[in-house]
Amino acid sequence: MHVVMIAATAALGGLLFGYDTGVISGALLFLREAFHLSSLMLGVVTSIALAGAAGGAAIAGRLADRFGRRPTLLATAGVFVVGAIVSALAASLMQLLAGRLLVGLGIGGASMLTPLYLAEIAPARERGALVSFNQLAVTLGILVSYLIGYGFAASGAWRWMLGLGAVPGVILIAGMLILPETPRWLAGHGHADRARAALRRLRGRSADIEAEVKQLRADLRSDVQTLPQSRLGHAAARLPLIVGIGLAVFQQVTGINTVIYFAPVIFQASGLSSASAAILATAGIGVVNVVMTLVAIWLVDRLGRRALLLTGLAGMGLSLCLLALGFLLGSGSVLGWLTAASLAAYVGFFAIGLGPVFWLLISEIFPLAIRARGMSAATIANWLANLVVALTFLDLVDLLGRPGVFFLYAALTFGALLFARALVPETKGLSLEAVEALWLERASQKGRPLGPAKLLEQR
Ligand code: BGC
């Protein structure tokens, strides 16, 4: 099986995450009626999955180190499938909440394990594209969920909306049963022969894998010497942790999911009063998200991570300012379409930069000894920040008005731009081991992590 096929199969993990992100807002309207939910309980139904996802990401990192990436991803998909079925069949609010919690645990685990798995099987020069298959699957999951939500809207078949999520979960399980464990995990756990066999499967019979095997061994040795207790608090881990957690929080507090969750409401408020215009515009947003992610996949190993991230952030910031201005000027059908255009531009710039590049970078910047746990930490931060934004958005709109909220997200986006400019290293084309060497070398020079400027200067 070719590495691209293997990556495409594993990337289904992203589909679970995207589908659930998109489907819940459509389903909520019907859940409200079916279970007589107050606004508070509606919030709980949404947030319990986000909180569960943070928990899933916390558990998955440890399990992935101990038992391997592959079995942990399999177990995660299993939990998700059970959660989707429990939610779909729920006869009481408690059962619905239990199902949503399981779904959350599953998507939280999958959201970190998928990029981790992809990064560890990919050859360095294609790693950006292959890891970003994950984000492509997330965006496809969101788009499919919009379409399914639309299809079932008239009948109100919320059980189908929630239950259909089990389908990609089952396909992922079937696929993972035949995929190999990652060579890096195998080599790090004393299974040199199996690591070699896995590399052979991934690179093809004719490829020369000896150089890669040698490199893996040398790196594992240096890892053991430098990070003897695999501590996240070690100096070599500190700077990647700051970058990973910082980007995680910025990916959410710059507002992407307010658009993903509330796009139809935003469109209606801006003057696209008919429901069908609002739905059409929302589907358009889903398509822009997918298409621009494809563009990112094409560019990320050519232009590099920094170029996409910085351009994407600048574009997001400007689009948010336009959006806020649109709201400031009032509503009307021309302004409604202006709003739609600036929202589409905002999503497009997210999809070309911060969307895929965040998940890619956190799969690349941590030394192997702490990779799974470092990714866990960043992923937990991402889901918690997602939760905070979901819980505060509507209150913030009441407090600051729509223009105020989107100016706030714009300001946070410019903050993210400064952060990324100062701290994010370029990892294009480097082997994961070379990325690791980059941090280790810097950290060991003076026994403490170097400042960002120094670090980049030395790249
Ligand atoms: C983010 C999600 C978001 C999605 C939108 C992902 O990278 O982590 O929170 O819903 O992109 O495409």
Side-chain angles (χ1 to χ4, degrees), residues 17 21 135 138-139 142 251-252 256-257 260 289 350 355 359 382 386:
F17 155 21
T21 298
Q135 177 72 12
V138 172
T139 60
I142 293 174
Q251 200 207 33
Q252 295 298 327
I256 186 65
N257 283 313
I260 304 288
N289 199 9
F350 173 86
W359 293 106
N382 189 267
N386 188 333

Side-chain angles (χ1 to χ4, degrees), residues 34-223:
F35 294 98
H36 310 292
L37 300 179
S38 60
S39 315
L40 179 70
M41 282 323 287
L42 274 178
V44 173
V45 171
T46 317
S47 344
I48 197 169
L50 296 174
I59 304 166
R62 289 194 171 274
L63 295 182
D65 272 346
R66 180 115 194 244
F67 300 106
R69 290 32 173 149
R70 181 177 165 271
T72 314
L73 193 49
L74 264 170
T76 304
V79 171
F80 176 85
V81 169
V82 173
I85 295 173
V86 170
S87 315
L89 299 178
S92 67
L93 179 60
M94 280 324 277
Q95 289 173 10
L96 178 68
L97 291 177
R100 297 289 302 149
L101 182 64
L102 287 174
V103 161
L105 284 170
I107 56 180
S111 67
M112 67 141 296
L113 292 166
T114 310
L116 172 65
Y117 181 87
L118 294 172
E120 289 191 349
I121 61 160
R125 70 199 135 70
E126 291 160 358
R127 191 178 56 241
L130 292 182
V131 176
S132 301
F133 277 16
N134 169 59
Q135 177 72 12
L136 181 64
V138 172
T139 60
L140 282 171
I142 293 174
L143 182 60
V144 168
S145 74
Y146 281 164
L147 300 177
I148 286 186
Y150 182 52
F152 284 127
S155 61
W158 61 268
R159 292 185 190 277
W160 279 103
M161 292 186 189
L162 299 184
L164 278 174
V167 175
V170 170
I171 302 175
L172 176 62
I173 292 176
M176 283 312 292
L177 285 173
I178 52 172
L179 299 196
E181 179 53 80
T182 74
R184 286 184 175 83
W185 185 86
L186 289 169
H189 286 74
H191 307 296
D193 290 343
R194 286 174 59 203
R196 196 183 292 267
L199 262 183
R200 183 141 311 292
R201 262 187 84 186
L202 290 162
R203 304 287 181 261
R205 288 203 175 287
S206 53
D208 174 17
I209 57 166
E210 287 316 309
E212 216 171 328
V213 170
K214 223 168 163 188
Q215 178 78 47
L216 265 181
R217 280 221 197 99
D219 295 318
L220 287 168
R221 237 175 281 130
S222 81
D223 234 19

